[in-house]
Amino acid sequence: MIAATYAYIVTNFPFLWQGLVVTLQVSALVVAFSLAGGLALGVAIVYGPRILYWPIRAYSDVIRSIPLLVLIFFVYYGLPALQVQISAFWAAVLALSLFKTGHVIETVRGAIGSIPPGQNEAGKAIGLGFGQRLVYVIFPQALRRFLPPWLNAVTDTVKGSALVSLLGVVDLMQSIQQVIGRTYEPLPMYLYGAAIYFVINYTLSSLSRALEARFAYIRE
Amino acid sequence: MAASPLVRARGVVKRFGKNTVLDGVDLDVAKGEVVVIIGASGSGKTTLLRCINLLETYDEGSITVDGTEIGFRDGAGGGRRRRSERELAPIRADIGMVFQHFNLFPHLTAAQNVMLGLTKVRGMAKAEARKLAEQWLSRVGLAEKFESLPSQLSGGQQQRVGIARAVAMGPKVLLLDEITSALDPELVGEVLSVVQQLAREGMTMIVVTHEMTFARDVGSRVVFMDGGRIAAQGSPNDVLVNPTQERLKSFLARIEFRQH
């Protein structure tokens, strides 16, 4: 059986490889969009005017309370009803990004919120502007608290991206499903898929631990 | 006869909700003067200091430093509008502040703490900023500590870095907010002697403190605040040694009691 499975994987390798590439593409796009969105909204919720606080709070709370799968279906089937045409790939990326942004907002809020207010005041007192205080004073200190939960969220994104297979996007998960459909060998193929997800995510969490150690010297 | 004061506060009112913390404060500080503000906690002394570089906004009145109104600018319709962050940054760069809890940047070395404002606000080249930072750190007795992180320094050393960071910017006036109250008693002296040195060199300072001996030794004037107002002021001798006002007498009695 092992030899046979090995043969399936080899013959189907280009197809499975393409699936892995799509999984990585979806993950990378989602990580980038949610980081940009979450950083901007997270900073706004801490330092922004009162008018911004409640909409962001509401967005974050609502989005984090909805199952990801519901959100994916909502975007994919819901947007066309609003006359917005969007491919399965981009619907998946959009839904995952909206979801992850909610989490990044909270991570940013927690990380920035942990910096004592005196740091911001010290930055003001030497004449640093708002952006300069963020870049030179707040972010370098918040990074230590931001990285571990954020890298955790990145591995979650890679795992969560498997849900896009339900929209018919041929990612790693979907390509495995399709090989199984042709070969009727579910167990070895799922093991193969699990192994690949494991390698990606274990690498990320090892990186996370290394970075944590790297920034441990920053103390208040 | 004298030139207009470097710092001038007129009718400054500050409220936190229904609580009026500053209730019409008038204060003039001449160039080179060291004004020491004393008073019980809650008297408004720290709030007044924080209003001078607008870490706290004030609701009414006016504070000018070297002729520039700190909290407001003239609005289009003749009224006045609160200054934006963008307008405040260069104003604050000319007003130094040293904090009770030092507030050093923990991710930067002593030298980098001093250099940050010089490079990013003053636009100095790194090498030039480095030289100035080392000069100031040496002057506060930290020539061996350029590369130390704040967490590797004692409280007294951290506070001296805090002073170097503020004075390296070349401020017009230096605000000192209870800079020795978070220090162990044996470390107070090393910080105060740095301030004393600055006073001798003519740095204009406004000092909030509980150290009465220090107030007497370096203050050109002592101001007693009570209930958000200036209740008494005069030479250190008049205010601290021969007080006439009842509230001031009882405040000093309590302080004296604690010090022995």
Side-chain angles (χ1 to χ4, degrees):
Chain A
M1 187 188 93
I2 291 166
T5 308
Y6 184 68
Y8 297 141
I9 291 172
V10 170
T11 17
N12 288 296
F13 186 76
F15 180 65
L16 290 167
W17 175 255
Q18 193 49 49
L20 176 61
V21 168
V22 171
T23 286
L24 293 177
Q25 274 174 345
V26 170
S27 303
L29 286 168
V30 169
V31 166
F33 290 151
S34 64
L35 181 60
L39 211 52
L41 296 176
V43 168
I45 208 170
V46 179
Y47 295 116
R50 211 93 197 109
I51 323 164
L52 289 179
Y53 179 86
W54 290 110
I56 300 172
R57 180 82 274 153
Y59 169 79
S60 167
D61 286 348
V62 168
I63 213 92
R64 286 180 305 127
S65 309
I66 300 173
L68 178 52
L69 189 56
V70 173
L71 191 62
I72 288 175
F73 284 151
F74 182 78
V75 169
Y76 184 58
Y77 296 108
L79 285 184
L82 299 171
Q83 309 300 323
V84 179
Q85 299 302 325
I86 187 169
S87 72
F89 179 85
W90 286 107
V93 168
L94 177 60
L96 279 165
S97 298
L98 288 172
F99 186 72
K100 276 296 148 198
T101 298
H103 290 262
V104 177
I105 289 171
E106 296 308 315
T107 311
V108 169
R109 189 187 58 77
I112 298 179
S114 72
I115 309 299
Q119 289 294 310
N120 204 19
E121 291 185 352
K124 283 181 182 178
I126 55 171
L128 295 175
F130 177 66
Q132 290 177 317
R133 294 199 300 275
L134 286 183
V135 172
Y136 302 115
V137 177
I138 305 296
F139 286 166
Q141 296 181 61
L143 190 64
R144 183 172 67 100
R145 284 174 206 264
F146 174 78
L147 275 178
W150 181 70
L151 281 162
N152 206 9
V154 171
T155 61
D156 262 358
T157 305
V158 177
K159 288 183 280 182
S161 74
L163 289 172
V164 308
S165 61
L166 294 168
L167 300 186
V169 175
V170 188
D171 69 332
L172 177 61
M173 186 66 203
Q174 178 69 4
S175 63
I176 287 168
Q177 299 275 38
Q178 293 186 4
V179 173
I180 293 170
R182 289 198 291 273
T183 62
Y184 302 103
E185 284 286 359
L187 188 60
M189 285 311 297
Y190 282 138
L191 280 174
Y192 167 77
I196 291 182
Y197 281 115
F198 174 79
V199 167
I200 298 170
N201 285 325
Y202 189 74
T203 310
L204 285 170
S205 48
S206 305
L207 178 70
S208 163
R209 274 192 291 273
L211 285 171
E212 238 174 293
R214 162 79 179 74
F215 289 107
Y217 75 94
I218 302 173
R219 275 166 293 183
E220 273 97 51
Chain B
M1 86 201 175
S4 63
L6 185 62
V7 179
R8 171 190 285 253
R10 283 291 175 275
V12 175
V13 174
K14 167 71 183 176
R15 298 182 199 90
F16 287 115
K18 282 185 178 166
N19 187 14
T20 303
V21 193
L22 296 179
D23 192 10
V25 174
D26 296 338
L27 180 70
D28 284 348
V29 179
K31 196 167 186 309
E33 216 182 352
V34 177
V35 171
V36 178
I37 307 177
I38 61 171
S41 60
S43 62
K45 56 190 193 304
T46 286
T47 306
L48 175 63
L49 199 68
R50 289 166 59 84
C51 281
I52 296 173
N53 70 347
L54 220 77
L55 287 183
E56 236 35 281
T57 56
Y58 46 94
D59 301 305
E60 289 166 33
S62 143
I63 298 177
T64 60
V65 173
D66 204 12
T68 306
E69 172 73 42
I70 300 298
F72 302 91
R73 62 179 169 82
D74 293 334
R80 57 182 200 167
R81 307 183 53 162
R82 287 196 187 282
R83 286 193 188 277
S84 68
E85 273 285 318
R86 196 180 294 272
E87 295 167 356
L88 276 171
I91 295 175
R92 284 183 177 134
D94 288 339
I95 305 171
M97 184 156 199
V98 184
F99 298 88
Q100 180 176 6
H101 297 290
F102 329 136
N103 298 357
L104 295 185
F105 306 126
H107 57 299
L108 301 178
T109 63
Q112 288 169 332
N113 262 277
V114 182
M115 287 167 64
L116 187 62
L118 299 176
T119 53
K120 304 305 172 194
V121 178
R122 293 287 185 235
M124 256 181 219
K126 252 207 167 119
E128 191 188 352
R130 174 92 204 177
K131 229 174 94 188
L132 192 57
E134 290 183 354
Q135 268 172 21
W136 274 109
L137 286 172
S138 303
R139 289 194 49 188
V140 300
L142 295 172
E144 311 296 313
K145 302 289 182 186
F146 296 159
E147 301 309 322
S148 300
L149 288 167
S151 56
Q152 298 161 331
L153 298 172
S154 74
Q157 291 170 332
Q158 289 190 52
Q159 194 57 295
R160 284 184 280 153
V161 176
I163 294 171
R165 177 174 69 179
V167 291
M169 296 291 290
K172 293 170 179 162
V173 53
L174 192 59
L175 311 175
L176 308 180
D177 184 14
E178 302 193 27
I179 61 167
T180 57
S181 10
L183 294 176
D184 291 337
E186 76 270 21
L187 302 178
V188 168
E190 64 188 61
V191 171
L192 292 186
S193 71
V194 168
V195 177
Q196 223 147 8
Q197 179 62 31
L198 288 170
R200 272 198 295 273
E201 290 164 13
M203 174 72 78
T204 311
M205 290 189 270
I206 306 177
V207 183
V208 167
T209 187
H210 288 119
E211 302 280 338
M212 292 304 139
T213 27
F214 176 66
R216 192 190 58 210
D217 293 347
V218 302
S220 24
R221 183 155 42 112
V222 175
V223 169
F224 172 62
M225 284 191 71
D226 185 50
R229 292 166 166 273
I230 291 178
Q233 59 178 315
S235 72
N237 197 53
D238 290 348
V239 175
L240 299 173
V241 184
N242 305 309
T244 53
Q245 215 222 22
E246 274 320 305
R247 303 282 305 219
L248 176 56
K249 277 183 188 169
S250 77
F251 170 73
L252 289 172
R254 271 176 288 146
I255 293 274
E256 295 296 312
F257 189 72
R258 260 197 325 199
Q259 277 188 338
H260 292 292

